[in-house]
Amino acid sequence: MKYKDYYAILGVERNADADQIKAAYRKLARKYHPDVSKEPGAEEKFKEVKEAYETLKDPEKRALYDRLGTQQPGHDFRPPPDWWKQFAEHQGAFEGSFEDIDLADIFAGLGGRRRSARARGGPVPIAGEDYETVVHLTLEQAARGAEVDLQLAMPEYDEMGSPRRVMRTIKARIPPGSTDGKRLRLAGKGGEGANGGPNGDLYLTVALHPHPLFRVDGHDLYLDLPIAPWEAALGAGVEVPTLAGPVQLKIPPRTRAGRQLRLAGRGLPKPGGGAGDLYAVVQIVMPSVLTEKEEALFRQLASVSTFNPRGHFAEGGHR
Amino acid sequence: MRVDIAEEALWLDEQGVVTVAQLARLSGLAEDEVRELVDLGVLEPCDPHAPSWTFTSRCVLTARAAGRLRRDLELEPHALALALFLMERIGELEARVRGLQARLARIEQE
């Protein structure tokens, strides 16, 4: 079992009173709460802070924690035998190794079981904890739907009520139509309930991997479409990639740079039916090297053309 | 290691519908707290005049966030409503920024 210094996590002295502990928690909770903080690692930090507060705000849990003494944070340790005896008064006997036990599960389990022990007429059902995780998808997976393996460490309780961290692989089918930040729910795939209580749920947040060609806005996709100056001037038929394979796109004559050509229904599918669009954003690209003949033709064009792309400069910017 | 059978994940969006009881269970709030969030304008029933309210399943996310903020930050109801309104506004603005970034052509650096 790894030792966690709950006092250091909250930034308080070991003799801090309840008000000081509460004030320290509130300050850190505002800073790291995952619903409001964008700091990297805020969620993990908040979990630590909350775990420390949940233990230290409860006099019974705090006393039990204090009896563990001071250890080096993160180092493996074994609670003294008399500590476990005191814990067992609340919890029941414990057998087995301490290796895969998380200190948080011990104190969290203590609260739930204490409530159930106090209840009359048998143990009270305790619902399993809800979990949240991020599921990373490629754009192709988001478009077609995907089956993904999610690995989560969740506490499980043996017959004696002792907690143990177990690595679970949860398979989830993500239906077609995900967009960045989209949320989904897997019913009953969170933590296990106790005493006949229901399992918790697993909440998923979709994060799309950046695509080398397509940029995403909701269900619409944007693709940079490089074309040659003569294709822009004369129009052309070009092949463009889509998520479902290449399609032909007609470039109209006299197409300007930055023009968006829409391919209807070629974006990401929508859960309710239909699909977003794909926009090809025109970029007019010059060859980096011109042959003698190409250069001669451009010179010829320059000599006959009356086109002045900067004509509006003379009119103070008014076109 | 335990491996489960693949299950279909359900969207939490405007398509699905939940009752007050389901919303309370999924968010960990009491039904009275759900009704209080409706009074505060944080949650909007599909039809506020219906005899028994239903909500889009997207409201599960708002209600869960409300439950977490109330529990973890001990916010009083009006502060909670304000925090949720600002969080939603930030979410909308972030989505607009992402949309504008998607529209911008990648510029080739010399």
Side-chain angles (χ1 to χ4, degrees):
Chain A
M1 181 156 56
K2 299 234 184 294
Y3 182 76
K4 297 175 195 175
D5 189 337
Y6 289 151
Y7 291 100
I9 289 169
L10 289 180
V12 295
E13 299 292 330
R14 290 186 79 87
N15 59 358
D17 64 25
D19 286 343
Q20 287 169 320
I21 287 171
K22 190 173 187 173
Y25 164 74
R26 281 185 165 179
K27 194 174 164 192
L28 293 168
R30 277 198 304 273
K31 188 173 177 192
Y32 294 117
H33 198 281
D35 285 308
V36 292
S37 176
K38 296 286 176 199
E39 281 194 36
E43 187 171 353
E44 284 310 308
K45 184 76 186 159
F46 178 72
K47 274 184 193 163
E48 271 188 0
V49 167
K50 192 175 175 191
E51 179 188 328
Y53 180 59
E54 293 294 331
T55 302
L56 297 186
K57 77 172 182 182
D58 181 322
E60 205 174 334
K61 286 184 189 181
R62 184 178 177 182
L64 209 52
Y65 173 77
D66 285 346
R67 283 184 212 125
L68 288 172
T70 309
Q71 317 278 338
Q72 194 67 25
H75 279 209
D76 279 317
F77 81 108
R78 211 181 156 82
D82 64 322
W83 185 87
W84 203 258
K85 230 180 270 171
Q86 286 164 335
F87 180 75
E89 282 171 21
H90 305 280
Q91 174 78 9
F94 175 80
E95 287 168 12
S97 85
F98 289 88
E99 278 173 21
D100 47 4
I101 291 181
D102 193 301
L103 207 51
D105 298 334
I106 290 183
F107 288 107
L110 179 62
R113 271 144 197 81
R114 203 167 58 197
R115 277 197 303 279
S116 69
R118 280 176 189 161
R120 290 180 183 182
V124 173
I126 302 168
E129 198 182 335
D130 290 341
Y131 280 78
E132 303 230 359
T133 192
V134 175
V135 54
H136 296 273
L137 298 178
T138 64
L139 208 49
E140 288 80 1
Q141 286 177 314
R144 291 171 203 146
E147 191 169 300
V148 292
D149 284 352
L150 305 161
Q151 298 213 328
L152 286 121
M154 291 183 179
E156 277 186 3
Y157 298 89
D158 63 20
E159 292 119 25
M160 305 307 293
S162 299
R164 203 164 284 283
R165 285 266 155 165
V166 176
M167 208 60 187
R168 276 181 65 186
T169 297
I170 295 157
K171 286 185 176 295
R173 278 199 308 275
I174 311 295
S178 291
T179 51
D180 219 13
K182 194 90 178 171
R183 304 290 302 272
L184 300 104
R185 174 176 159 251
L186 268 173
K189 294 294 173 185
E192 286 189 351
N195 310 329
N199 289 348
D201 297 331
L202 179 59
Y203 287 86
L204 309 177
T205 305
V206 172
L208 295 180
H209 288 297
H211 193 277
L213 289 177
F214 302 111
R215 299 185 296 279
V216 189
D217 176 20
H219 292 93
D220 293 335
L221 299 178
Y222 287 80
L223 165 76
D224 288 339
L225 177 64
I227 60 173
W230 46 92
E231 289 174 325
L234 306 173
V238 297
E239 191 179 271
V240 294
T242 75
L243 288 176
V247 296
Q248 282 294 315
L249 176 66
K250 196 177 163 200
I251 312 271
R254 297 180 299 284
T255 290
R256 289 167 183 248
R259 184 168 174 185
Q260 295 181 0
L261 303 170
R262 186 167 75 106
L263 287 121
R266 295 286 182 173
L268 289 170
K270 294 178 181 174
D277 301 326
L278 169 62
Y279 292 90
V281 186
V282 170
Q283 289 182 324
I284 299 171
V285 180
M286 279 302 295
S288 49
V289 178
L290 291 176
T291 63
E292 268 182 42
K293 192 171 181 186
E294 283 170 331
E295 193 171 325
L297 287 168
F298 272 116
R299 286 189 190 286
Q300 192 184 342
L301 177 62
S303 66
V304 298
S305 178
T306 55
F307 175 54
N308 179 7
R310 295 167 298 281
H312 62 292
F313 284 3
E315 289 143 35
H318 300 291
R319 286 177 188 268
Chain B
M1 188 187 289
R2 244 179 66 177
V3 178
D4 294 352
I5 297 163
E7 295 230 0
E8 182 93 353
L10 300 174
W11 299 115
L12 293 169
D13 58 13
E14 277 72 25
Q15 308 289 328
V17 170
V18 292
T19 63
V20 174
Q22 286 170 324
L23 186 57
R25 186 179 65 76
L26 292 174
S27 61
L29 296 171
E31 289 190 26
D32 284 348
E33 289 177 306
V34 171
R35 289 192 182 89
E36 190 182 13
L37 290 174
V38 173
D39 291 341
L40 289 166
V42 171
L43 294 174
E44 199 176 334
C46 299
D47 177 5
H49 306 294
S52 51
W53 284 341
T54 57
F55 300 84
T56 65
S57 61
R58 193 176 181 280
C59 288
V60 172
L61 299 172
T62 310
R64 282 174 56 79
R68 283 192 297 266
L69 290 172
R70 176 172 285 186
R71 197 172 48 245
D72 298 336
L73 301 181
E74 297 164 351
L75 295 182
E76 58 92 20
H78 288 283
L80 179 67
L82 179 66
L84 287 164
F85 168 76
L86 292 173
M87 280 162 56
E88 195 173 324
R89 184 89 186 105
I90 290 168
E92 285 168 4
L93 291 171
E94 285 175 341
R96 275 183 67 183
V97 169
R98 279 199 300 274
L100 290 170
Q101 282 171 336
R103 283 170 167 77
L104 289 173
R106 283 173 192 149
I107 297 163
E108 203 177 318
Q109 299 289 325
E110 286 292 321

